[in-house]
Amino acid sequence: MDDCARKSIYVNYIPFIFTYRNGILLQIKAITKMILKVKELIRETPDAVTVCFKNGNFFRKINYLPGQFIMLDFKIGKDTVKRAYSFSSSPDVDKDLRITVKRVKSGYVSNFVNNVLKVGDKIKVDIAMGSFNITPNKNNAKHYILF
């Protein structure tokens, strides 16, 4: 009888799945795409909405640093349109992932998100990206201000 096991680890915030059979490593696979479900929509202003996503499950979560962004694949009609949005949530404070989208007058995706997107919709996303970030020390009382 084969003993098949999977183990997931993160390397530089990129999740990898290792598949073993009878103690022998068979496959290493980087997870670069996930499906996230819209958990809540918060109307911030008449032209801006915060989209809250349930952050995966125990084995497949998106880990990110302050200042990183996420690439989303929106299915609009027959088109799949990619857009990058910075996280408006904090990895140290918020359980769910959040992005805030301001409507642009002729914006294809921003109008879709503000007018059509609904709770329960699923969106394909890439892992968090971007190197413009800091890793604050929780024991340090300094304040960080970015302009």
Side-chain angles (χ1 to χ4, degrees), residues 87-138:
F87 290 101
S88 56
S89 52
S90 168
D92 295 324
V93 177
D94 299 308
K95 178 181 173 185
D96 298 320
L97 302 173
R98 294 176 183 227
I99 59 166
T100 301
V101 179
K102 184 181 183 314
R103 183 190 323 273
V104 176
K105 186 176 181 180
S106 298
Y108 191 41
V109 173
S110 69
N111 280 289
F112 172 82
V113 171
N114 274 270
N115 298 334
V116 180
L117 192 69
K118 61 188 180 307
V119 172
D121 285 353
K122 294 179 180 177
I123 299 176
K124 187 183 283 188
V125 300
D126 290 337
I127 59 171
M129 296 179 265
S131 58
F132 182 70
N133 54 58
I134 59 171
T135 306
N137 182 341
K138 293 179 184 178

Side-chain angles (χ1 to χ4, degrees), residues 37-105:
K37 186 175 184 179
V38 177
K39 181 177 178 181
E40 182 181 11
L41 295 167
I42 301 168
R43 178 64 53 192
E44 305 289 356
T45 70
D47 287 328
V49 65
T50 295
V51 182
C52 306
F53 296 100
K54 181 178 183 319
N55 189 5
N57 58 45
F58 181 75
F59 294 105
R60 292 191 64 189
K61 287 188 182 230
I62 292 180
N63 288 326
Y64 65 102
L65 296 171
Q68 287 191 306
F69 65 93
I70 191 165
M71 186 71 73
L72 297 101
D73 296 353
F74 292 94
K75 184 77 172 151
I76 304 174
K78 294 180 180 180
D79 299 330
T80 298
V81 185
K82 289 179 148 314
R83 289 293 186 274
Y85 288 99
S86 294
F87 290 101
S88 56
S89 52
S90 168
D92 295 324
V93 177
D94 299 308
K95 178 181 173 185
D96 298 320
L97 302 173
R98 294 176 183 227
I99 59 166
T100 301
V101 179
K102 184 181 183 314
R103 183 190 323 273
V104 176
K105 186 176 181 180

